[in-house]
Amino acid sequence: MDGSVSIEPAIMLFAGIVFIAYAVQNAVGFGALLVCITLGSHLLDIRQIMTLAIPLSMLQSGFIVWRDRASIDARLLLRRIMPLMSVGLVLGFVVARDLRDTHLRVVFAGLVIVLAIYELWRLRPPSDEDTPPRPPPRLASVAAIFGAGIAHGIYAAGGPLLVYAVGREGLDKHRFRATLSAVWVGLNTLLISGFVMEGRYTTDTGRDIVVLLAVLPFGLWIGDLIHQRVPERPFKITVFILLIAGAASLIVR
């Protein structure tokens, strides 16, 4: 025994996906976990991806929360979002424990396809008949926030529904990003606590997370370059088309 530690090929390939995911996140601001799960499900099961990727998300969100803490809308966060999403997250977490990975993968793929098609529709050139978006009705907002908690408990992908619910509340982009980052820190803390109680974090898991952490700064750096030099709209369209293709391949796999 030479004491050397070998890294599984699947983890090395997944590190490449993490690099892409956080480059996309830093370039356009949408969820790295969607990319990690959509592409990574060809290599690892969804539960393993969440176990590995959520600590990375915590680091990024935690940095934003610390840096921009004065911009967090505490009233919106504590009175509306966290109570509903926390209950939804616990429900989603319990449901996910009883689902086979095949079911998780197919349902997630369908969710990604619907989301990507909706986002592509939003990116269409505006017409003269378009009207400014209005906040959703109160009941729809409550349902969306609760549903976002369920989706986050199952897939750590509650962002799209939460953005629908609070994205039209009149927050400027700095308060919006800081408040949502605080949501992810709170909810992902709950998820990681659940993972710890399930015994998901071992020495091997810690080693794999260190490997993924090594590529994270490079993904963020490349994403920043893309953000500065590549037009946002065509880049977003390309990403959503690739997500549709990746999600469809999970269904027919």
Side-chain angles (χ1 to χ4, degrees):
M1 298 290 291
D2 60 6
S4 61
V5 177
S6 61
I7 306 298
E8 293 183 12
I11 295 298
M12 298 301 293
L13 292 172
F14 184 62
I17 291 172
V18 168
F19 169 81
I20 294 170
Y22 280 92
V24 169
Q25 168 114 355
N26 221 31
V28 299
F30 86 72
L33 282 169
L34 283 177
V35 179
C36 283
I37 296 177
T38 302
L39 301 182
S41 292
H42 293 279
L43 301 170
L44 308 169
D45 66 59
I46 288 181
R47 290 179 178 86
Q48 186 178 4
I49 293 170
M50 291 175 63
T51 303
L52 295 173
I54 288 177
L56 307 181
S57 178
M58 281 281 289
L59 285 176
Q60 185 190 38
S61 298
F63 171 74
I64 293 173
V65 167
W66 173 255
R67 184 189 63 190
D68 301 334
R69 56 192 180 276
S71 298
I72 296 172
D73 189 323
R75 181 184 180 91
L76 177 63
L77 176 70
L78 299 177
R79 292 194 178 186
R80 289 184 55 192
I81 299 176
M82 288 303 294
L84 286 169
M85 285 196 72
S86 296
V87 175
L89 179 136
V90 172
L91 177 60
F93 185 81
V94 171
V95 168
R97 295 173 65 180
D98 296 326
L99 292 177
R100 296 176 57 186
D101 189 67
T102 301
H103 298 150
L104 286 172
R105 189 173 66 244
V106 171
V107 175
F108 177 79
L111 178 67
V112 170
I113 290 172
V114 171
L115 164 67
I117 291 173
Y118 172 69
E119 292 296 335
L120 286 172
W121 178 79
R122 289 182 60 200
L123 288 168
R124 76 195 192 286
S127 67
D128 295 337
E129 298 178 358
D130 288 341
T131 57
R134 298 177 180 177
R138 181 71 175 183
L139 183 59
S141 177
V142 168
I145 295 173
F146 182 68
I150 295 175
H152 205 76
I154 299 175
Y155 302 113
L161 280 173
L162 183 60
V163 169
Y164 165 77
V166 303
R168 300 168 185 174
E169 294 289 334
L171 300 179
D172 63 59
K173 64 180 182 180
H174 298 295
R175 297 188 71 195
F176 181 78
R177 184 175 66 172
T179 302
L180 261 62
S181 295
V183 173
W184 307 138
V185 168
L187 294 183
N188 288 340
T189 298
L190 294 177
L191 274 180
I192 290 174
S193 299
F195 295 163
V196 169
M197 288 189 289
E198 288 186 341
R200 294 197 197 184
Y201 290 108
T202 64
T203 302
D204 289 342
T205 308
R207 176 202 63 200
D208 293 341
I209 290 174
V210 169
V211 172
L212 301 179
L213 282 172
V215 305
L216 186 61
F218 298 101
L220 296 174
W221 175 62
I222 292 296
D224 192 52
L225 292 180
I226 293 172
H227 179 74
Q228 294 175 22
R229 301 180 183 183
V230 178
E232 182 175 355
R233 184 174 176 274
F235 184 75
K236 278 187 175 182
I237 290 173
T238 301
V239 169
F240 285 123
I241 290 174
L242 290 175
L243 279 177
I244 290 173
S249 70
L250 292 179
I251 294 175
V252 302
R253 174 177 156 182

